[in-house]
Amino acid sequence: MPDSVDALDHERFVRAAIDEAASAQDAGNPPFGAVLVGPGGTVLDRAGNTEGRTGDCTGHAETNLVRAASQEYDPERLAKATLYASTEPCAMCAGAIFWARIGRVVFGLRAERLYDMKGDAGRQLALSCEDVLARGNHEVEVVGPVLEDEAAAVFDIS
């Protein structure tokens, strides 16, 4: 399980994930970002959504991050890491986080609130990250929402 982290650290790293989301949006992608942090606050990796640029429907920020991190870091290190996401990971991303054995997820914007903001636009699989991860055979701590209004501000829904 990851080291304990105080609320200010959660805010700092959720803001870093929100920055990744804004960068993804600037590059023509949906505004989602993720940052992987190891024990002691070391940023191990970061990623944004690439779906708009590549057309790959699995190009979510968390999946991109997990794909890279699982090739670079051993499972023991990932088990002590925290994945910070600008928005609550979808079921696909939660599954990737589970398979990588990442020990904690902290997110900004709740998926339910995003769905309410977007209305019927886009694909939706209404399963919370916590619900998906609770079905696994090892624990993944879920914390969120953190800085939800800041995370919601990245979305330009008019």
Side-chain angles (χ1 to χ4, degrees):
M1 189 52 66
D3 294 339
S4 67
V5 181
D6 68 26
L8 291 177
D9 285 332
H10 286 333
E11 290 180 3
R12 176 172 57 132
F13 293 123
V14 166
R15 280 191 178 106
I18 293 168
D19 289 345
E20 289 299 317
S23 294
Q25 186 174 48
D26 290 346
N29 298 293
F32 298 92
V35 176
L36 186 66
V37 177
T42 303
V43 174
L44 302 176
D45 211 341
R46 52 183 72 232
N49 186 294
T50 56
E51 189 175 358
R53 186 173 40 91
T54 66
D56 177 359
C57 65
T58 68
H60 295 193
E62 302 90 338
T63 303
N64 289 337
L65 184 86
V66 167
R67 191 176 294 117
S70 64
Q71 293 175 37
E72 187 171 349
Y73 301 106
D74 62 53
E76 293 77 26
R77 184 150 192 190
L78 292 175
K80 296 176 184 171
T82 300
L83 187 147
Y84 289 89
S86 60
T87 302
E88 182 177 1
C90 71
M92 175 184 71
C93 293
I97 291 162
F98 171 82
W99 292 117
R101 300 189 76 82
I102 293 170
R104 181 188 299 130
V105 175
V106 179
F107 65 86
L109 176 64
R110 287 174 295 119
E112 183 178 319
R113 180 170 171 192
L114 175 62
Y115 296 158
D116 287 345
M117 290 166 52
K118 290 172 59 172
D120 288 335
R123 297 174 299 253
Q124 299 175 11
L125 185 56
L127 288 169
S128 74
C129 173
E130 191 166 22
D131 287 344
V132 172
L133 293 170
R135 300 297 216 141
N137 65 354
H138 66 267
E139 182 182 350
V140 179
E141 180 183 359
V142 178
V143 177
V146 174
L147 300 174
E148 189 168 34
D149 290 338
E150 287 183 41
V154 176
F155 291 88
D156 181 27
I157 298 175
S158 24

